[in-house]
């Protein structure tokens, strides 16, 4: 370990690799004095260079680890003299990696803004031997020959660009060419993508710098001086030229005469530049809101950890409580963090917070540019931003002295990271609040079963808002049985007569509507009526979705695209049939039926241009749009007082998913989208189309009765031993070879059974995952149900280590603790 006198000689690093271990490197003498825990080091790893994070420093090697100093590699470069990762984030990411059985280095990388890490890329160069061999080849057209010809035409080619040209076998072919000495490879270090933005500026100089001239300032020069004085003596160079309407020569003259100086300064990129900030609101809390806020205020004063569930119906005023609680935290010298599930909600909340807290607000989400995200992160790290709003990765924002963490729509599955490193930001938020002696507020109109169960177990305190502001009634919801609609109309129709009539009535009164279908594209899949063949993705075990605007078939899992066939690829029949509907088809049908309405669609396909989502929502709020059609992006958090009708199309697809949470998700989605109607003074109406109107999730959602749904659903979970009554882990084994995946899964199963001595856990599988093939890999799933998380982790830790000892390829294994999606 490190003593007080001697500088460290060795650094223990967490590397951004899917490996649950740390690595030791020797520190060159040049930066032993400067290296600190939390700083980044550029280090060699195999044939490439990686950015690692210092998690421990040592003066001497720990002999018990069995590490030979002679085999240690030297670090290449110290990237930070001031640590980039704070002690709090280091502790939080360590807990996250340990709890979710993830890589600490990958969690640390996810906690930092994209683009800050130094990376390297593999470069391939053809050798003289390779050029000689290429001259001998005249007729061969193999991939390797094509690759050689491409390399001969270019001086250097990166492995990434070569893979784009020649596919997934590129790496194997390059290795073969290297072994023949036809090509050589080397690593090139890339510069970081995220850098401070610098712009030329002008500052006013004190009078002692003025040159002793009798010549007075002309009109243009005087105007420059006045503008500088109005801007506290400093302004951007371009802004000064535009505002004074002058040429650069005017400023150059002032510089020569000692009145001004040009220099380069850092400029922070503002994600809200040009955004419409709402006017300040002086809202009076209701008695119910006051009671809730008083409890939060008392907890803030105590400066100790406490967790709350703010269970409030849609439109009950949760947002105002969030803002006042954050204001209270700032008044006490603390900082505040607010998580929202969707990027769609971030512009709405961020503008509101900017109106309340001004420049103290920072925004973190993936739709920001690399530079904007970097600048926002730096403002948080420096302490100039004390309020942060963002999506799940914002839970790792480097705030200091956190007083309150708010997780809005805490039930939402978007808080779960669905790829390595796996974590649930909602649960990490609870732990971060605990570490910081802060309070955490989980808000929802439809709490997750696990969260409400924690209330019943006494872990969380319940805060209740049972009524809407002004005692406005909840929207009236009704189920339309599409089986009857089929009988009446004699064919399948997307819209029932009830919904079409309601749309006409709503818009005749100048009111607005929202139509939800949680499936994008035009048609769900393409079917041959002659042989029954459906066209599937070549990489995934799933049908391709038809997108009419682009006239393409697309896989929504891997992004594979294919041309729309004119004949069946199996039997060459011309009877191609497009089955099912998506939001694109709904938009087209509604535009035909209601040509006088201004209709816009919101889904991933239409939100590809930055700022488009915010523009549409703003236009809808200003009633420049009559109807929105879209996916679940429309269901959460939006407040449009003039919306009186919500229509839900084809709700049954969600209920049919092979997942024990399908009923809960359907109930939450319907209740949330129903909450978008009737938020103003007008009564709201919700029409839900279904082929299963008797399903308990739909019945309770129609009445917006969470308590009865919870009571019924929790009995089902208890009887079948699902969370929250057991701790659950999903182990997914994936590989391009089904046999290889099966062999690894069997090793894991045997190791799990070996250490499940007291039968504290149930082990199911291995069996094909519901999506048995994804992105070119076969997927086998093992589910482990344990009586508690401690038993679960003990079993997994022993079993995974044992499996690795038996040569199970751990690169093919993904372990998810508390999974929320079993597909």
């Amino acid at each position: 370990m490190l003593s007080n006198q001697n500088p460290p000689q060795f650094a223990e690093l967490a590397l951004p690799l899917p490996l649950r271990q740390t690595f030791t490197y020797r520190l060159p003498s040049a930066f032993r004095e400067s290296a600190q825990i939390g700083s980044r080091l550029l280090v060699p790893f195999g044939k490439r260079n990686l950015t690692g994070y210092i998690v421990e420093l040592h003066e001497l090697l720990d002999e018990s680890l069995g590490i030979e100093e002679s085999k240690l590699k030297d670090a290449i470069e110290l990237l930070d003299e001031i640590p980039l990762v704070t002690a709090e984030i280091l502790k939080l990411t360590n807990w996250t990696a340990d709890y979710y059985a993830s890589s600490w280095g990958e969690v640390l990388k996810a906690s930092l803004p994209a683009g800050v890490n130094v990376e390297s890329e593999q470069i391939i160069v053809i050798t003289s031997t390779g050029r000689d061999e290429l001259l001998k080849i005249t007729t061969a057209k193999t991939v390797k020959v094509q690759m050689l010809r491409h390399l001969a035409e270019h001086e250097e080619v990166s492995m990434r660009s070569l893979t784009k040209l020649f596919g997934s076998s590129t790496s194997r072919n390059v290795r073969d060419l290297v072994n023949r000495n036809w090509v050589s490879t080397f690593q090139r270090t890339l510069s970081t993508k995220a850098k401070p933005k610098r712009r030329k500026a002008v500052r006013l100089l004190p009078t002692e710098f003025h040159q002793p001239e009798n010549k007075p300032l002309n009109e243009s020069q005087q105007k420059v001086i006045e503008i500088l004085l109005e801007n506290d003596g400093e302004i951007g160079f371009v802004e000064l030229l535009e505002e004074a309407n002058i040429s650069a020569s005017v400023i150059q003259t002032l510089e020569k005469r000692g009145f001004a100086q040009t220099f380069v300064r850092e400029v922070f990129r503002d994600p809200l530049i040009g955004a419409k900030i709402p006017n300040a609101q002086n809202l009076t809390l209701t008695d119910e809101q006051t009671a809730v806020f008083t409890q939060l205020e008392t907890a803030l004063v105590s400066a100790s950890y406490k967790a709350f569930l703010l269970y409030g119906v849609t439109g009950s005023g949760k947002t105002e409580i969030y803002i006042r609680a954050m204001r209270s935290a700032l008044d006490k010298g603390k900082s505040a963090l607010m998580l929202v599930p969707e990027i769609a909600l971030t512009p709405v909340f961020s503008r509101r917070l900017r109106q309340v807290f001004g420049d103290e607000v920072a925004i973190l989400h993936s739709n920001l540019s690399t530079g904007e995200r970097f600048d926002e992160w730096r403002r948080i790290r420096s302490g100039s931003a004390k309020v942060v709003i963002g999506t799940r990765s914002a839970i790792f924002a480097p705030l200091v002295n956190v007083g309150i963490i708010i997780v809005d729509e805490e039930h939402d599955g978007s808080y779960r990271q669905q790829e390595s490193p796996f974590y649930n930001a909602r649960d990490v938020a609870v732990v971060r609040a605990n570490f910081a002696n802060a309070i955490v507020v989980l808000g929802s109109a439809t709490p997750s079963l696990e969260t409400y169960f924690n209330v019943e177990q006494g872990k969380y305190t319940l805060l209740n808002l049972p009524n809407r502001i002004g005692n406005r009634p909840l929207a009236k919801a009704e189920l339309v049985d599409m089986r009857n609609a089929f009988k009446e109309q004699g064919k399948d129709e997307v819209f029932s007569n009830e919904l079409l009539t309601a749309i006409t009535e709503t818009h005749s009164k100048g009111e607005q509507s929202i139509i939800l279908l949680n499936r994008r594209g035009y048609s769900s899949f393409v079917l041959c009526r002659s042989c029954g063949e459906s066209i599937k993705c070549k990489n995934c075990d799933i049908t391709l979705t038809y997108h009419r605007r682009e006239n393409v078939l697309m896989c929504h899992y891997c992004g594979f695209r294919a041309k729309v066939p004119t004949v069946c690829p199996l039997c060459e029949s011309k009877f191609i049939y497009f089955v099912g509907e998506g939001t694109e088809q709904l938009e087209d049908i509604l535009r035909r039926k209601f040509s006088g309405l201004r209709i816009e669609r919101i889904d991933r396909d239409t939100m590809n241009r930055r700022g488009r989502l915010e523009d549409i929502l703003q236009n809808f709020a200003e009633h420049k749009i009559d109807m929105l059609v879209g996916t679940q992006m429309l269901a959460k958090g939006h407040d449009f007082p003039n919306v009186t009708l919500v229509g839900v199309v084809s709700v049954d697809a969600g209920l049919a998913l092979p997942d024990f949470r399908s009923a809960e998700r359907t109930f939450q989605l319907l209740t949330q989208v129903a909450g978008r109607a009737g938020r103003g003074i007008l009564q709201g109406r919700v029409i839900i189309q279904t082929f299963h109107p008797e399903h308990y999730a739909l019945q309770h959602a129609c009445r917006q009765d969470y308590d009865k749904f919870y009571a019924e659903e929790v009995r089902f979970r208890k009887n079948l031993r699902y969370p929250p009554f057991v701790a659950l882990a999903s182990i997914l084994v994936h590989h391009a070879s089904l046999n290889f995946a099966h062999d690894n899964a069997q090793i894991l199963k045997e190791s799990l059974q070996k250490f499940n001595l007291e039968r504290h856990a149930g082990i199911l599988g291995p069996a094909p995952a519901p999506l048995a093939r994804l992105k070119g890999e076969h997927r086998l799933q093992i589910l482990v149900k344990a009586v508690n998380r401690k038993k679960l982790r003990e079993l997994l830790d022993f079993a995974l280590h044992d499996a690795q000892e038996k040569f199970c390829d751990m690169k093919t294994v993904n372990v998810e603790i508390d999974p929320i999606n079993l597909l």
Side-chain angles (χ1 to χ4, degrees), residues 490-555:
K491 59 179 179 178
D492 284 327
E493 290 286 355
V494 176
F495 295 104
S496 64
N497 289 330
E498 289 90 339
L499 182 51
L500 291 174
T501 301
I503 292 173
T504 301
E505 292 174 352
T506 298
H507 293 283
S508 68
K509 296 182 286 186
E511 296 162 10
Q512 294 168 288
S513 61
I514 290 174
I515 307 297
L516 180 136
L517 170 61
N518 204 23
R519 187 166 58 239
R520 59 193 176 102
Y522 192 87
S523 295
S524 305
F525 60 96
V526 180
L527 182 73
C528 174
R529 281 180 162 177
S530 296
C531 68
E533 177 74 4
S534 59
I535 301 177
K536 291 189 174 183
C537 174
K538 71 173 186 177
N539 304 314
C540 309
D541 187 22
I542 194 165
T543 55
L544 295 174
T545 301
Y546 174 47
H547 289 251
R548 188 175 182 179
R549 298 281 169 86
E550 298 180 67
N551 194 33
V552 69
L553 298 178
M554 186 186 301
C555 176

Side-chain angles (χ1 to χ4, degrees), residues 1-3 7-13 22-27 32 56-74:
M1 293 299 294
L2 194 62
S3 70
Q9 298 189 54
F10 308 98
E12 193 174 335
L13 302 183
T22 55
F23 298 85
T24 304
Y25 284 84
R26 184 187 296 105
L27 289 171
R32 286 179 184 173
E56 194 65 67
L57 290 167
H58 304 284
E59 180 187 332
L60 301 172
L61 283 178
D62 188 342
E63 294 181 1
S64 64
L65 298 177
I67 300 174
E68 296 182 31
E69 184 176 345
S70 60
K71 294 183 178 181
L72 291 182
K73 294 181 179 180
D74 284 353

Side-chain angles (χ1 to χ4, degrees), residues 284-314:
T284 302
L285 296 183
T286 65
D287 291 343
E288 290 175 353
Q289 287 177 306
T290 300
V292 167
F293 176 67
T294 300
Q295 289 192 63
L296 295 179
E297 177 83 342
T298 302
L300 279 167
V301 170
S302 70
S304 59
Y305 164 74
K306 193 160 188 179
F308 296 92
L309 167 61
L310 179 51
Y311 168 33
V313 299
T314 55

Side-chain angles (χ1 to χ4, degrees), residues 341-397:
E342 291 275 4
I343 290 173
L345 296 178
T346 314
V348 178
F349 280 118
S350 54
R351 287 198 303 267
R352 180 78 187 280
L353 293 181
R354 176 64 65 85
Q355 174 247 313
V356 176
F357 300 107
D359 292 338
E360 289 187 304
V361 175
I363 306 163
L364 291 177
H365 60 74
S366 59
N367 260 20
L368 301 182
S369 69
T370 300
E372 286 173 341
R373 191 175 175 87
F374 179 58
D375 283 354
E376 293 293 86
W377 187 89
R378 286 196 301 148
R379 291 204 306 119
I380 300 164
R381 182 72 172 85
S382 68
S384 62
K386 295 181 174 61
V387 177
V388 174
I389 179 170
T391 48
R392 64 173 173 263
S393 62
I395 189 56
F396 299 114

Side-chain angles (χ1 to χ4, degrees), residues 225-255:
I225 300 297
E226 290 171 1
I227 291 172
L228 284 167
L229 289 170
E230 290 170 2
N231 289 272
D232 297 324
E234 189 176 299
I235 190 174
F237 190 88
V238 174
E239 291 94 327
L240 181 57
L241 294 180
E242 291 176 352
E243 193 171 335
N245 193 23
I246 57 170
S247 66
S249 62
V250 176
I251 299 174
Q252 291 169 359
T253 301
L254 286 172
E255 277 197 279

